[in-house]
């Protein structure tokens, strides 16, 4: 994070006449937050605060996941779950054991760092203030907290909706930044040779999805919290965020520019399977070591956004609110790649608009009244 902050300060922030700083806190909190004065007519004075506990826990989870995967007996029932994929290898063999842990750890904390950058460049403190229920204006200081539960008061209504939308928008920025950074690394001949580039690239993608899954599983906790159509709490359900971000990863890598820069020849199927296997590995580890039952629980598995009508209902106000906010976000956005702005394809919009929750259709038994008693926060 220090190197990335230095690069951003030397480049973009210097051009803007502003500054980005990193701060650390010692409280036992699994999280981070972004801070901005919210003065849009002045150079940005941004900061990202990270809790040491977050870094420590991510490293420990990465270590434990790798140990777990290496310990799976060949031919066991868990091992045979990998028959669906091209091979049963649980970790990329192009890296040594310590490199597997390090790359997974770096991927996870880098993505979170970029998530905070996403909040800052879109000035989400300002956006939440302007589009929230109070519309108090943009003059006050703002902290945007992430990966931390709302402990005092469960927010609902418009406040919760705006908070959820800005979290998903920061996720989108983060994934885009990370993919760009990944492509930059693998295209550097000093980082990897042409001969090894494809294998290393695949390994880094795999470890990234593992690391990202660990962050969201840790945020979710030991029990799978089922999605609800009710928008409540400060953050979207962690599983919904994973369901959005993992496809964003392989869709971005499947584009022609990514293929050209990375020099890879993976087709969409290969990328989907690679990311899917990484998510399975994280699910196995989490459900078999962190839950009370200590057994494989497919409720932690990614199943696809469009397969759950409750999730589709949840996304209806999310998309509408983002459409409302987007013009203002584009006005205040400090920098970033055009593709970093969250988008929803027409086919996706049609699907969520057409969800049927009544009658005799396949979605008839699932309604918006699905239990909202444990929202992600």
């Amino acid at each position: 994070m220090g190197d990335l902050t230095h690069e951003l300060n030397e480049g973009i922030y210097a051009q803007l006449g502003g500054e980005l700083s990193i701060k650390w806190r010692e409280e036992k909190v699994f999280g981070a937050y972004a801070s901005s004065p919210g003065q849009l007519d002045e150079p940005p004075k941004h900061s990202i605060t990270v809790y040491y506990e977050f870094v420590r826990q991510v490293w420990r989870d990465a270590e434990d996941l790798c140990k777990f995967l290496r310990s799976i007996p060949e031919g066991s029932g868990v091992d045979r779950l990998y028959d669906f994929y091209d091979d049963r290898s649980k970790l990329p063999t192009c890296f040594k054991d310590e490199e597997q842990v390090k790359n997974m750890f770096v991927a996870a904390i880098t993505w979170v760092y970029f998530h905070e950058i996403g909040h800052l460049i879109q000035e989400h403190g300002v956006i939440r203030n302007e589009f929230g229920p109070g519309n108090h204006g943009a003059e006050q200081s703002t902290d945007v907290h992430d990966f931390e539960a709302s402990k005092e008061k469960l927010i609902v209504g418009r406040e919760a909706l705006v908070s959820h939308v800005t979290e998903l928008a920061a996720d989108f920025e983060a994934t885009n930044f990370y993919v760009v950074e990944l492509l930059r690394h693998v295209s550097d001949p000093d980082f990897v040779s042409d001969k090894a580039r494809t294998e290393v690239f695949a390994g880094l993608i795999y470890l990234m999805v593992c690391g990202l899954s660990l962050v969201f599983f840790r945020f979710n906790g030991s029990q799978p919290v089922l999605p609800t159509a009710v928008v409540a709490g400060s953050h979207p359900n962690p599983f919904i965020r994973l369901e959005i971000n993992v496809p964003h990863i392989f869709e971005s890598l499947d584009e022609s520019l990514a293929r050209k820069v990375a020099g890879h020849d993976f087709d969409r199927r290969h990328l989907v399977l690679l990311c899917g296997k990484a998510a399975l590995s994280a699910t196995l580890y989490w459900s078999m070591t962190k839950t009370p039952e200590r057994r494989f629980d497919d409720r932690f598995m990614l199943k696809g956004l469009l397969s759950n009508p409750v999730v589709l209902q949840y996304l209806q106000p999310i998309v509408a609110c983002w459409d409302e906010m987007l013009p203002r976000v584009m006005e205040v956005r400090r920098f970033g790649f055009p593709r970093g702005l969250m988008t929803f394809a027409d086919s996706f919009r049609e699907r969520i608009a057409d969800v049927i929750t009544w009658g005799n259709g396949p979605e008839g038994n699932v309604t918006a009244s699905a239990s909202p008693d444990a929202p992600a926060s």
Side-chain angles (χ1 to χ4, degrees), residues 150-223:
S150 298
K151 296 179 176 63
E152 296 180 0
K153 177 185 176 183
L154 178 69
I155 63 173
V156 295
R158 179 71 176 183
E159 184 180 3
L161 176 60
V162 172
S163 183
H164 282 221
V165 173
T166 52
E167 289 301 329
L168 294 175
D171 283 357
F172 203 92
E173 290 272 18
T175 299
N176 183 76
F177 270 121
Y178 192 94
V179 168
V180 170
E181 187 69 10
L182 178 61
L183 293 173
R184 183 168 73 92
H185 274 291
V186 299
S187 62
D188 183 355
D190 293 332
F191 176 75
V192 61
S193 66
D194 290 343
K195 182 178 180 180
R197 180 169 292 117
T198 297
E199 183 181 12
V200 170
F201 185 49
L204 290 174
I205 296 169
Y206 184 89
L207 295 174
M208 176 197 178
V209 175
C210 284
L212 185 60
S213 299
L214 286 176
V215 169
F216 283 120
F217 286 161
R218 174 62 62 179
F219 185 51
N220 177 82
S222 61
Q223 294 288 353

Side-chain angles (χ1 to χ4, degrees), residues 4 8 48 109-121 170-171 173-179 181-182:
L4 288 171
L8 286 170
I48 296 172
I109 63 171
T110 300
W111 186 90
V112 172
Y113 174 87
F114 283 142
H115 176 90
E116 305 305 332
I117 291 293
H119 280 310
L120 292 171
I121 67 175
D171 283 357
E173 290 272 18
T175 299
N176 183 76
F177 270 121
Y178 192 94
V179 168
E181 187 69 10
L182 178 61

Side-chain angles (χ1 to χ4, degrees), residues 1 13 20 22 31-35 46-50 109-122 124 144-147 167 170-171 173-174 235 241:
M1 288 189 286
Y13 278 86
L20 173 67
I22 291 285
Y33 62 90
S35 303
H46 292 161
S47 69
I48 296 172
T49 301
V50 182
I109 63 171
T110 300
W111 186 90
V112 172
Y113 174 87
F114 283 142
H115 176 90
E116 305 305 332
I117 291 293
H119 280 310
L120 292 171
I121 67 175
Q122 293 189 14
H124 281 163
V144 179
H145 287 259
D146 289 296
F147 304 102
E167 289 301 329
D171 283 357
E173 290 272 18
H235 289 62
R241 295 172 76 174

Side-chain angles (χ1 to χ4, degrees), residues 66-332:
C66 290
K67 291 177 182 177
F68 170 83
L69 294 177
R70 296 185 197 114
S71 69
I72 295 175
E74 185 176 352
S76 65
V78 174
D79 182 52
R80 289 197 294 273
L81 290 173
Y82 288 84
D83 285 345
F84 177 77
Y85 304 97
D86 294 335
D87 60 71
R88 289 184 181 178
S89 61
K90 316 300 188 299
L91 289 165
T93 57
C94 56
F95 300 117
K96 298 177 182 178
D97 288 2
E98 61 271 21
E99 292 174 335
Q100 294 166 352
V101 175
K102 180 180 178 181
N103 282 315
M104 192 182 300
F105 166 77
V106 169
I109 63 171
T110 300
W111 186 90
V112 172
Y113 174 87
F114 283 142
H115 176 90
E116 305 305 332
I117 291 293
H119 280 310
L120 292 171
I121 67 175
Q122 293 189 14
E123 292 289 354
H124 281 163
V126 172
I127 295 298
R128 289 181 179 185
N129 208 32
E130 291 184 359
F131 288 86
N135 298 317
H136 299 305
E139 69 279 4
Q140 59 190 27
S141 296
T142 56
D143 290 341
V144 179
H145 287 259
D146 289 296
F147 304 102
E148 182 179 1
S150 298
K151 296 179 176 63
E152 296 180 0
K153 177 185 176 183
L154 178 69
I155 63 173
V156 295
R158 179 71 176 183
E159 184 180 3
L161 176 60
V162 172
S163 183
H164 282 221
V165 173
T166 52
E167 289 301 329
L168 294 175
D171 283 357
F172 203 92
E173 290 272 18
T175 299
N176 183 76
F177 270 121
Y178 192 94
V179 168
V180 170
E181 187 69 10
L182 178 61
L183 293 173
R184 183 168 73 92
H185 274 291
V186 299
S187 62
D188 183 355
D190 293 332
F191 176 75
V192 61
S193 66
D194 290 343
K195 182 178 180 180
R197 180 169 292 117
T198 297
E199 183 181 12
V200 170
F201 185 49
L204 290 174
I205 296 169
Y206 184 89
L207 295 174
M208 176 197 178
V209 175
C210 284
L212 185 60
S213 299
L214 286 176
V215 169
F216 283 120
F217 286 161
R218 174 62 62 179
F219 185 51
N220 177 82
S222 61
Q223 294 288 353
V225 180
L226 298 179
T228 169
V230 179
V231 181
S234 62
H235 289 62
N237 183 300
F239 297 150
I240 290 179
R241 295 172 76 174
L242 259 184
E243 291 277 15
I244 293 174
N245 279 290
V246 172
H248 187 192
I249 293 168
F250 63 67
E251 287 169 2
S252 298
L253 294 172
D254 191 38
E255 295 175 354
S256 57
L257 179 59
R259 293 176 180 278
K260 181 178 180 181
V261 172
H264 77 80
D265 58 357
F266 304 137
D267 58 18
R268 173 63 69 91
R269 176 183 176 277
H270 186 101
L271 291 167
V272 170
L273 289 176
L274 183 65
C275 293
K277 187 167 75 165
L280 169 67
S281 294
T283 296
L284 289 171
Y285 160 72
W286 194 262
S287 60
M288 295 180 70
T289 66
K290 300 299 181 183
T291 63
E293 295 79 12
R294 294 295 195 272
R295 59 179 176 80
F296 173 54
D297 189 340
D298 65 0
R299 290 177 296 175
F300 287 93
M301 288 288 294
L302 303 186
K303 297 179 175 65
L305 283 175
L306 302 185
S307 66
N308 190 332
V310 169
V311 176
L312 297 178
Q313 286 179 278
Y314 163 80
L315 288 169
Q316 287 175 342
I318 295 292
V319 173
C321 184
W322 178 243
D323 287 345
E324 177 188 353
M325 290 163 46
L326 182 57
R328 180 57 173 157
V329 169
M330 294 175 68
E331 287 179 0
V332 304

